[in-house]
Amino acid sequence: MNLPPKNYEILKIALLQIMPAGSLQGNLEKGLDACVRAKKMGADIALFPEMWSCGYSIPEDICELKQLSISENSDFVCEFQNLAKNLKIAIGITFLETSEPLPKNTIMLFDRHGKLALKYSKVHTCDFGEEARLSAGDDFYVADIETGIGIVKIGSMICFDREFPESARILMVKGAEVVLAPNACPMEINRLAALRTRAYENMLAIATCNYPAGHPDCNGHSSVFDGVAWLKDEEGSRDMCVLNAPGGEGIYIGKIDMKMLREYRATEVMGNAYRHPGKYKIITECGIEKPFVRADYRN
């Protein structure tokens, strides 16, 4: 009998914790090179930090901001789509997307054949700061992504989305096994704890890619939590953090045992097993007043 190779169900995600090059063309070239390096390292998926096209730059001048944005059909995006097909690797490319009334913070995930599998724009924009100059996304999405180890159900949330339990919960309800989370902020103990909690309570893996130390307000520490809090044949709990990268620039591979995760999800009690959705109406029915509102750039 022909048995599958030992690592047949190990999903390898390359977190491209790299510094922007200072221009769209520079980011294109450096990003393409990083994907090639990730493929050589055995990655199934390459993930960029938040808004790689512009290095997470949000100009105060709206005209300048719009000029910095690019379309989903731009040469920049298409180059990564073509590379995904040529390298046979899934690529999650992030960019400042042209849209109305204001640009969006977007990720597009191409599968290993270069097919667009998922497009997501950040829902929870940081409207208390410079992201008040961006339009927000409308929903969360999950798609079947063909990778080198087969089909994986993948969703995405971006940076501040992490702070809202509903983001990961919706992705879990929609069937996500793995969540890709581009990021651009300091990954300190509390934010890492939030990611750990989102993975724990939903029984899903979360891979977060941040900018390295030296980029404004960033410190590296890209991470992967695999979502498996304990195993029935092992005493006590286990550390779900399978990768916590250092602060410096680099490409870091996080490995997720999909067989272990799927067996865990099929038998354990977190996630969707004992929810009572009918009792949670207050979450959606009660609005809140924002404590601080910037100028409304959307008008």
Side-chain angles (χ1 to χ4, degrees):
M1 180 173 62
N2 294 323
L3 296 176
K6 185 176 181 180
N7 291 330
Y8 182 72
E9 293 189 70
I10 304 297
L11 182 69
K12 298 178 182 179
I13 302 179
L15 305 178
L16 309 182
Q17 186 175 290
I18 54 179
M19 193 71 76
S23 68
L24 181 66
Q25 183 61 31
N27 291 341
L28 172 62
E29 294 173 0
K30 187 167 185 176
L32 294 173
D33 177 70
C35 290
V36 172
R37 291 164 57 198
K39 177 64 177 182
K40 290 180 179 178
M41 295 168 70
D44 298 293
I45 301 173
L47 177 64
F48 283 88
E50 190 174 2
M51 289 203 310
W52 172 252
S53 67
C54 62
Y56 193 78
S57 175
I58 306 175
E60 186 170 352
D61 182 82
I62 299 302
C63 290
E64 183 181 351
L65 174 68
K66 290 185 175 182
Q67 289 174 356
L68 194 62
S69 68
I70 59 176
S71 76
E72 64 176 77
N73 298 315
S74 64
D75 291 343
F76 180 90
V77 174
C78 290
E79 286 281 354
F80 288 100
Q81 180 177 19
N82 293 334
L83 187 65
K85 179 179 179 180
N86 293 335
L87 289 182
K88 296 294 186 286
I89 182 176
I91 297 177
I93 182 61
T94 61
F95 59 105
L96 178 65
E97 182 189 8
T98 301
S99 69
E100 293 297 337
L102 292 167
K104 291 181 178 180
N105 183 339
T106 297
I107 178 174
M108 291 177 70
L109 178 62
F110 298 102
D111 71 11
R112 65 195 302 265
H113 301 296
K115 176 184 176 182
L116 175 60
L118 179 72
K119 180 184 177 184
Y120 168 71
S121 295
K122 188 174 184 178
V123 167
H124 298 101
T125 51
C126 301
D127 289 351
F128 49 82
E130 59 189 2
E131 284 191 3
R133 299 190 288 276
L134 300 181
S135 292
D138 299 318
D139 200 354
F140 296 92
Y141 306 97
V142 173
D144 290 342
I145 310 298
E146 184 173 345
T147 71
I149 66 164
I151 300 296
V152 179
K153 292 184 178 297
I154 293 181
S156 183
M157 58 185 183
I158 298 176
C159 200
F160 194 46
D161 286 328
R162 161 197 64 243
E163 311 297 344
F164 299 84
E166 295 85 355
S167 305
R169 182 64 74 178
I170 290 170
L171 292 170
M172 179 276 294
V173 170
K174 290 186 175 183
E177 299 174 297
V178 176
V179 173
L180 302 180
N183 195 82
C185 71
M187 293 310 299
E188 40 72 53
I189 187 171
N190 297 304
R191 290 186 174 103
L192 288 169
L195 288 168
R196 182 187 294 273
T197 301
R198 300 293 89 81
Y200 167 74
E201 65 196 4
N202 293 296
M203 298 196 299
L204 47 74
I206 301 179
T208 302
C209 184
N210 196 27
Y211 286 102
H215 188 281
D217 206 30
C218 293
N219 67 338
H221 291 283
S222 298
S223 64
V224 175
F225 294 90
D226 69 6
V228 180
W230 48 76
L231 296 171
K232 61 181 180 181
D233 297 327
E234 296 182 8
E235 186 175 347
S237 61
R238 61 183 291 276
D239 188 353
M240 295 184 298
C241 185
V242 297
L243 174 68
N244 185 352
E249 186 172 20
I251 297 174
Y252 302 96
I253 302 290
K255 299 179 181 179
I256 301 170
D257 187 331
M258 294 303 299
K259 182 175 185 294
M260 180 175 71
L261 176 60
R262 286 163 175 165
E263 290 177 350
Y264 179 78
R265 287 161 60 96
T267 58
E268 283 299 338
V269 300
M270 305 300 288
N272 205 29
Y274 292 97
R275 294 172 62 245
H276 296 278
K279 300 178 181 180
Y280 308 151
K281 293 180 181 179
I282 191 173
I283 294 177
T284 56
E285 291 179 352
C286 290
I288 60 171
E289 293 183 5
K290 294 183 180 180
F292 175 74
V293 179
R294 290 175 61 96
D296 190 355
Y297 294 94
R298 294 170 179 80
N299 291 333

